[in-house]
Amino acid sequence: MGGGPKSEHLLIILPFSPPTALFDRIRRNHPHIKITYHQLNFSATPWKAREKVPPEIFHDATLLITLSALPPSPQDCPKLELIHFTSAGTNHVAKSPIYTDTSITLTTSSGIHGPQIAEWVLMTMLTSSHYYSLLHRWQSKHEWGQRSDDIGLLRNVNDKVGQRLGVLGYGSIGRQVSRVAKATGMDVIAYTASPRESPESKKDHGFIVPGTGDPDGEFPSAWYSGTDKEDLHHFLAQDIDHLLISVPLTKQTTHLLGKEEFDILSKRNAFISNISRGPIIDQPALIAALRAYDDHASSNPPSTNGNFSIVPEADVKSDTSIPGLRGAALDVTDPEPLPPDDRLWEAPNCIVTPHVSGLGSAYVDRCFQVFEVNLDRRERGEKLINVVDRSKGY
């Protein structure tokens, strides 16, 4: 007769050198777990590995930590019970037989990205509204800009106090962005697919980095919900100055935002931040909305620094007849990588970064923290966190 947890085999397939300190931590707390590490290098195409993983490597694994590498078929992983993804979403594996044809528990690293992505959102928001491209141009030219004709732009900077942030998808990232936005004096409103009418329903039940986010759902001054266009349009019409897109990519959210939605947001010439997935936006419609604002925001030709136009912001505290969107910050695009000749590169007042907002020195450690929380819960027979609902796609 033996006590304690059963023996487990943890297979880890990731695109970097083995984090041995994290392995040691798991072994100390879970000595019954055998760990096998396989380093898999990835190509420039997101989620695509340069080589295939030998199918036999999965045969004895009961646990798997991976970014995207999965067994080719259910027959290749007869003992596999739990797969933990180091990404926040699973849309990139949604067509895998492991996803569609098994009931293996899937968990994500949702919750770890909030701190660094919120800083990216704030950085790009302020880079735009404070005309950083102009400031950088002055410095690179060794020019003391107080005497520049463009100094008037800075005298008309609108700070964030009293502006409204609309959070489309109030998950862990949206909650941390809301925390940061509240610190700048912004009002926050939230939109979720299902209603959040009770205090319990507003709580975050996933992984939370200590001291971050909105665990109890207290920051939004108003909470909107729904799954149809009418509900979404009602939310977008709430005088939003800055829209954060943080919903998962599903069939229902593909091209969720297009010309109709941008026309509604044009009432306040909103600034859009997308840290979710590129196909949620109808990209040509976004480019058109940015160009509409750029063409009409000033009767004078805008100053430029590279491809980033410097256009005076409309007064965000009152309605304006200027059409379009005043700017966007996109860490995700459609497609990825974005082709060199794509028109998005030249879109005015648009910051594009190559899907890097979630990267940081704490990323891997926090991914493993989520997995270890679930190891503990699993051994105690408790409900796991960050479990993927295949019927919803997230």
Side-chain angles (χ1 to χ4, degrees), residues 12 18-28 35-37 368:
I12 304 171
T20 54
L22 300 181
F23 299 168
D24 291 340
R25 188 171 73 195
I26 292 175
R27 290 188 181 105
R28 281 195 305 271
I35 299 175
T36 300
Y37 188 79
F368 275 75

Side-chain angles (χ1 to χ4, degrees), residues 321-387:
S321 59
I322 299 174
L325 302 175
R326 71 177 183 273
L330 310 173
D331 188 48
V332 289
T333 62
D334 184 18
E336 292 184 15
L338 189 67
D341 60 350
D342 195 284
R343 292 191 304 136
L344 187 64
W345 292 113
E346 305 292 337
N349 308 307
C350 184
I351 299 170
V352 178
T353 60
H355 208 146
V356 294
S357 65
L359 300 183
S361 60
Y363 189 100
V364 177
D365 186 87
R366 287 173 182 160
C367 285
F368 275 75
Q369 285 181 41
V370 180
F371 176 72
E372 291 169 84
V373 166
N374 276 334
L375 276 183
D376 292 338
R377 286 173 169 253
R378 188 167 174 264
E379 291 173 8
R380 295 192 299 263
E382 297 175 0
K383 184 178 180 181
L384 305 188
I385 63 171
N386 290 10
V387 176

Side-chain angles (χ1 to χ4, degrees), residues 25-178:
R25 188 171 73 195
I26 292 175
R27 290 188 181 105
R28 281 195 305 271
N29 297 322
H30 306 275
H32 61 289
I33 294 181
K34 170 189 172 183
I35 299 175
T36 300
Y37 188 79
H38 183 87
Q39 184 171 339
L40 183 65
N41 295 319
F42 280 73
S43 66
T45 302
W47 319 118
K48 298 293 185 182
R50 289 178 180 155
E51 68 270 7
K52 291 184 178 180
V53 179
E56 59 270 18
I57 201 173
F58 297 102
H59 193 265
D60 294 326
T62 57
L63 308 166
L64 172 64
I65 297 178
T66 183
L67 173 62
S68 60
L70 291 173
S73 72
Q75 291 72 34
D76 293 307
C77 54
K79 299 180 182 180
L80 195 55
E81 298 178 5
L82 172 64
I83 302 175
H84 178 67
F85 291 92
T86 56
S87 55
T90 56
N91 61 286
H92 58 293
V93 296
K95 295 181 180 180
S96 164
I98 303 304
Y99 191 100
T100 59
D101 300 339
T102 78
S103 58
I104 297 170
T105 300
L106 311 177
T107 60
T108 72
S109 294
S110 177
I112 74 165
H113 306 82
Q116 61 270 43
I117 290 183
E119 291 179 13
W120 180 94
V121 171
L122 183 65
M123 173 187 72
T124 51
M125 180 194 305
L126 297 180
T127 294
S128 176
S129 65
H130 285 256
Y131 304 106
Y132 177 75
S133 58
L134 172 62
L135 303 178
H136 183 266
R137 188 181 71 192
W138 285 344
Q139 181 176 352
S140 64
K141 288 183 167 184
H142 300 189
E143 178 183 349
W144 193 251
Q146 285 279 2
R147 300 183 182 89
S148 169
D149 291 340
D150 289 324
I151 191 67
L153 290 171
L154 301 182
R155 295 195 180 101
N156 289 291
V157 166
N158 292 306
D159 61 41
K160 300 305 173 188
V161 177
Q163 291 194 39
R164 173 166 289 168
L165 170 70
V167 182
L168 183 59
Y170 204 65
S172 60
I173 295 171
R175 290 169 186 257
Q176 176 63 7
V177 173
S178 296

Side-chain angles (χ1 to χ4, degrees), residues 266-284:
S266 292
K267 176 183 178 183
R268 304 282 286 182
N269 301 123
F271 187 98
I272 289 181
S273 294
N274 188 7
I275 50 77
S276 183
R277 293 292 185 268
I280 292 171
I281 285 178
D282 179 343
Q283 209 157 269

